[in-house]
Amino acid sequence: MIKVKNISGIRKIAFIQWVKLRVFIYFLPELLKGNMSFKRFIKFVKRLLYFLSKVKDNKFVKIGENTRMDLYIPGFPSQAFFTSCKKVREFEDKLPCTVALISVTSACKFNCKYCYQKNDRGKDVDINRLIEVVKKLQNMGVAFFNIEGGDPFLTYERLKKVCQSIDERSETWVNSTGYGITLERLKELKKFNVNAIMFSMHTPDSEELNSFMGNENAWQTMAKAIELCHKADMSVAFNCCISKEGFYNGDFEKIMEKAKDFGASIIQVIKPKPSGGALKEGVDKFSKEDIIHVKNLVNKYNLDKKYKAYPSISAQVIEEDKSQFGCTAGGTDRIYINAKGDVQPCEFLNMSFGNIEEESFEETYKKMRECFLEPGECWLCEKYSKEILRLYEKYNLKSLPLPPEISKEIYNNWDRGEQTYFYKKLKE
Ligand code: SF4
């Protein structure tokens, strides 16, 4: 079983100093070789320090040899970690996007009610084209790839090819229900720099999870696959989309308990989003007080000594708060390519800027990033879900995301709120 250890107290303080020193040493040759002027180098270091200050309250976790400061920052001191540092080395254009979520197939044996791809109907994109695009994204600065499905292990050869195409400049995690996972496959993926398998645990109750995922063996499948991950020295993580009630009735605490027992390293807590299967029905509304309640719960587990042994939590309500990174969609720090090859700003935003089989990826990507030139504070997935649904129904569409021409009707006039302070400050 891979060793997972949380870093806290004095060790965390010392670790942060070590990261600063190591990063300085790593990039110093850029100054010495004249690749960066002295002024730029100082600005670059300042930006890095500012970025570090934003993640310092996370629970750091050492997974094997590398230490993770945030779900989306590859483990330190991997090569992928330094790729992510290069994000703030850009001074002329929009900063590169460092995180990409890629779906390799829509095939799935499960039937989650609120799947964000619920209405994405169509053939899986040509795998060679997808690989080309993944390589381009890596060259453009993506440091962290999250590969998903449907269930990617159902089309293992596709999954393997994509993972194989990503070199050490980036880190790769795979999302799965556990179906189709074998020890041999895990061992093989480890050779291609896959560092973790992320499972979904939206409730701590096995029967409830089975019902949520529309499969009577969902929990058992996940538990067996987790055992195999431990045998293969593969790190285990969870994503949890918890209902509002779950943050008040003890479910959140029970999920944390289960995750600890399962030997997880990181838990991603996702606020339910009105997209895909939930686009029409909508999701629980979280009031300001509810959000504060969730943040307090997360901070308690991440910062209080009493909860030291629990996995680190990465919570969207904290990371995407306007005081942190805001909405990172659109190639700011998130891009999603669905199984059909549609380029979306975020998996929870059912709109598209083009398809990788039909248009040049560079042009689609450029068009999308121009539209998101200044990162904004507004959570677009929530603000524009009703408008997406309206257009879906107006044009009698049979599949999501909205095609590029129709998506324009949204983004031509949208209001993405104030520019996110973090990115504004970085530019200064
Ligand atoms: S649209 Fe923006 S706020 Fe919503 S999940 Fe995506 S990145 Fe986060």
Side-chain angles (χ1 to χ4, degrees), residues 86-97:
K86 288 176 187 164
K87 178 180 179 83
V88 293
R89 201 180 51 171
E90 175 60 61
F91 288 94
E92 311 300 338
D93 295 323
K94 183 175 168 69
L95 304 181
C97 171

Side-chain angles (χ1 to χ4, degrees), residues 273 316 320 327-329 334 346 348-349 379-381:
K273 300 285 179 188
Q316 276 192 328
E320 293 177 353
C327 173
T328 55
R334 184 177 287 266
C346 169
F348 295 113
L349 208 47
W379 291 356
L380 300 172
C381 48

Side-chain angles (χ1 to χ4, degrees), residues 212-264:
F212 185 98
M213 296 180 79
N215 186 306
E216 58 181 8
N217 296 315
W219 185 278
Q220 202 192 359
T221 307
M222 174 182 79
K224 273 192 184 162
I226 290 172
E227 248 180 71
L228 293 175
C229 285
H230 290 318
K231 276 193 187 149
D233 272 350
M234 179 74 87
S235 175
V236 168
F238 287 104
N239 57 59
C240 313
C241 189
I242 307 172
S243 67
K244 184 166 88 174
E245 199 196 343
F247 290 104
Y248 289 98
N249 66 7
D251 273 4
F252 173 80
E253 287 82 352
K254 285 185 197 156
I255 285 179
M256 290 307 294
E257 212 57 54
K258 294 271 179 203
K260 179 160 76 74
D261 294 346
F262 273 130

